[in-house]
Amino acid sequence: MKIICIGRNYTEHIEELENEKPEEPVVFLKPDTAILLKRQPFFIPDFSEDVHHEVEVLVKINRIGKYIDKKFAHKYYDEIGLGIDFTARDLQAKLKAKGLPWEKAKSFDGAAVVGQWISKNEFENINDITFSLKKNNTIVQKGNTSHMLWKIDELIEYISKYFTLKIGDIIFTGTPAGVGKVQANDKLVGFIEERQLFSITVK
Ligand code: ZN
């Protein structure tokens, strides 16, 4: 399986990093080795002094598809989840400045937290889902999928022009504002609406 991530999909997050608003979705990949194993802590890698949390809504693909029209995109997923796109911001800044790919900053081992899944049928409207991240019991990020620049079905249409989507692939749909540095002993807990979908400790 593969993980397809979307960058710069929420206006306020684009502004906090002083990035330009993209004309098309920003896309990058994480390999399956980036997934943080269940019940394991997240270890801050020794090549970064500034690892940020980015909480994101996830979509799990349930059938194979290419050139999927957004009208039919809803047939390609049944489950919605929540995760963290851990980012070595210092390393990413260096790579960005040189115009180099971001993988070393975003695709290292453990950089993808994947929480529990929820059937999409439990939501009245997947384009109006509230989600949040608590760090040490304080809400640090809060978002709603209605604020995405590109909605889930539009992302599937866009991504599948470039990459065949396969069963089990996961889409990280971008982070809202409030990204920030993690430190050893931080506890990160993610919620969709009131439901807790992951809880991890930073080491
Ligand atoms: Zn992200």
Side-chain angles (χ1 to χ4, degrees):
M1 59 82 68
K2 59 186 173 295
I3 298 170
I4 307 102
C5 300
I6 303 301
R8 303 180 198 169
N9 203 22
Y10 288 85
T11 307
E12 287 171 7
H13 171 62
I14 294 169
E15 288 166 359
E16 77 180 341
L17 293 187
E18 295 178 0
N19 282 320
E20 282 185 24
K21 210 168 192 169
E23 285 168 17
E24 294 179 89
V26 173
V27 178
F28 57 95
L29 302 181
K30 295 189 194 241
D32 56 3
T33 46
I35 295 177
L36 185 67
L37 298 174
K38 293 270 176 259
R39 282 180 279 281
Q40 292 298 306
F42 171 74
F43 287 94
I44 296 172
D46 59 10
F47 50 78
S48 178
E49 301 291 319
D50 193 24
V51 172
H52 281 196
H53 53 75
E54 295 190 353
V55 72
E56 310 197 1
V57 168
L58 313 183
V59 178
K60 195 201 276 180
I61 298 298
N62 67 358
R63 55 190 276 199
I64 191 164
K66 189 170 172 67
Y67 293 114
I68 301 163
D69 191 289
K70 67 178 181 225
K71 281 203 300 281
F72 305 114
H74 64 275
K75 299 182 177 189
Y76 289 79
Y77 58 95
D78 294 321
E79 291 176 298
I80 301 289
L82 193 73
I84 297 178
D85 165 21
F86 275 121
T87 304
R89 195 70 72 200
D90 44 0
L91 183 51
Q92 187 196 25
K94 279 186 205 160
L95 295 167
K96 269 161 85 172
K98 292 183 184 163
L100 294 171
W102 299 352
E103 274 80 359
K104 288 194 291 182
K106 279 187 169 280
S107 305
F108 54 87
D109 289 1
V113 174
V114 176
Q116 282 173 15
W117 296 97
I118 305 178
S119 166
K120 72 174 181 193
N121 299 327
E122 292 190 30
F123 302 103
E124 230 162 85
N125 178 3
I126 56 149
N127 294 317
D128 185 16
I129 296 175
T130 300
F131 59 100
S132 60
L133 181 73
K134 278 186 182 174
K135 185 170 88 172
N136 307 329
N137 248 338
T138 303
I139 293 179
V140 286
Q141 287 192 268
K142 196 170 165 72
N144 186 290
T145 54
S146 65
H147 298 145
M148 288 181 177
L149 295 178
W150 288 278
K151 304 291 187 269
I152 290 170
D153 291 356
E154 293 170 322
L155 291 174
I156 289 174
E157 177 178 86
Y158 185 81
I159 291 165
S160 68
K161 283 184 203 170
Y162 298 89
F163 309 113
T164 296
L165 290 173
K166 295 177 81 175
I167 295 169
D169 286 351
I170 297 173
I171 301 172
F172 275 61
T173 61
T175 195
V179 302
K181 184 176 176 172
V182 296
Q183 285 175 307
N185 301 317
D186 280 347
K187 194 174 173 199
L188 300 169
V189 185
F191 298 85
I192 281 186
E193 314 285 357
E194 305 300 314
R195 275 169 74 170
Q196 182 181 318
L197 297 182
F198 64 77
S199 172
I200 60 159
T201 307
V202 177
K203 298 263 181 182

